[in-house]
């Protein structure tokens, strides 16, 4: 009976998490956040840290869609902490890349994206490397712009 309950909660959690991502894609961010909250609650109840990290990662991305970057960073860092503790390399690289989706501390973002590149090289994750190198290029453009602006002053 307990196994059925756990499996049911796990399934519901996955459904809510996937629905939150889809709903955000359609632009209904309030509903997406509510669905994400339900998924997070279920995975917390089940002490399922890996799926909780996935929910936090997706929730961070939802907040980037609505320019709530401090919230996004908070959720993405929570996901990163969980994935680091479980040594989930693929998810660590994903979290690091996602922490660079919005403007922030350029030096910190360069460290994050470089770490993601190292991990994805190790994993032979070609598609992810392409995304990492694209993000790295964009961060460098911001950095070059920042340096040029500070030299003018």
């Amino acid at each position: 009976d307990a196994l059925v309950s756990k499996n049911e909660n796990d399934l519901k959690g996955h459904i809510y998490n996937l629905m939150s991502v889809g709903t955000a894609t359609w632009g209904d961010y309030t509903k997406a956040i509510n669905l994400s909250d339900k998924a997070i609650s279920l995975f917390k109840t089940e002490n399922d840290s890996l799926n909780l990290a996935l929910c936090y990662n997706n929730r961070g991305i939802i907040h980037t869609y609505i320019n709530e970057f401090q919230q996004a960073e908070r959720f993405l860092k929570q996901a990163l902490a969980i994935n680091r503790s479980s040594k989930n390399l693929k998810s660590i690289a994903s979290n690091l890349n996602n922490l660079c989706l919005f403007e922030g501390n350029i030096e910190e973002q360069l460290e994050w994206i470089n770490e993601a590149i190292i991990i994805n090289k190790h994993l032979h994750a070609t598609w992810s490397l392409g995304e990492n190198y694209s993000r790295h290029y964009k961060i460098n453009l911001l950095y070059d712009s920042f340096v040029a602006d500070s030299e003018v002053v």
Side-chain angles (χ1 to χ4, degrees):
D1 199 34
L3 180 61
V4 171
S5 177
K6 180 180 176 9
N7 288 341
E8 187 175 303
N9 281 343
D10 187 58
L11 181 60
K12 283 182 184 178
H14 284 292
I15 291 169
Y16 286 137
N17 188 40
L18 290 171
M19 286 175 58
S20 75
V21 173
T23 304
T25 303
W26 300 326
D28 190 347
Y29 303 113
T30 302
K31 186 172 184 176
I33 288 170
N34 288 335
L35 290 165
S36 175
D37 284 341
K38 288 180 180 183
I40 287 168
S41 177
L42 285 169
F43 289 127
K44 279 183 177 179
T45 300
E46 297 299 327
N47 290 319
D48 186 340
S49 61
L50 292 180
N51 281 312
L52 183 59
L54 180 61
C55 289
Y56 285 154
N57 182 73
N58 291 342
R59 179 66 171 271
I61 292 171
I62 291 168
H63 284 286
T64 63
Y65 290 157
I66 52 180
N67 298 323
E68 292 178 348
F69 301 127
Q70 287 181 331
Q71 286 285 80
E73 185 172 354
R74 183 173 64 88
F75 279 104
L76 291 167
K77 283 184 173 179
Q78 286 178 291
L80 179 61
I82 292 169
N83 286 319
R84 282 195 192 281
S85 71
S86 61
K87 297 177 178 40
N88 186 347
L89 292 179
K90 182 179 178 190
S91 294
I92 291 169
S94 177
N95 299 148
L96 292 166
N97 185 75
N98 293 340
L99 278 162
C100 300
L101 290 174
F102 46 89
E103 286 187 36
N105 180 312
I106 294 172
E107 288 85 9
E108 191 173 42
Q109 288 185 330
L110 282 170
E111 288 177 24
W112 289 332
I113 204 63
N114 285 327
E115 184 181 353
I117 289 168
I118 290 167
I119 292 168
N120 283 321
K121 280 183 179 178
H122 173 75
L123 296 174
H124 304 288
T126 307
W127 184 88
S128 296
L129 276 169
E131 189 172 331
N132 294 155
Y133 282 119
S134 174
R135 183 80 38 223
H136 190 273
Y137 176 75
K138 290 175 184 175
I139 295 168
N140 276 321
L141 285 178
L142 285 172
Y143 181 78
D144 291 346
S145 174
F146 174 76
V147 170
D149 288 347
S150 64
E151 289 174 354
V152 172
V153 177

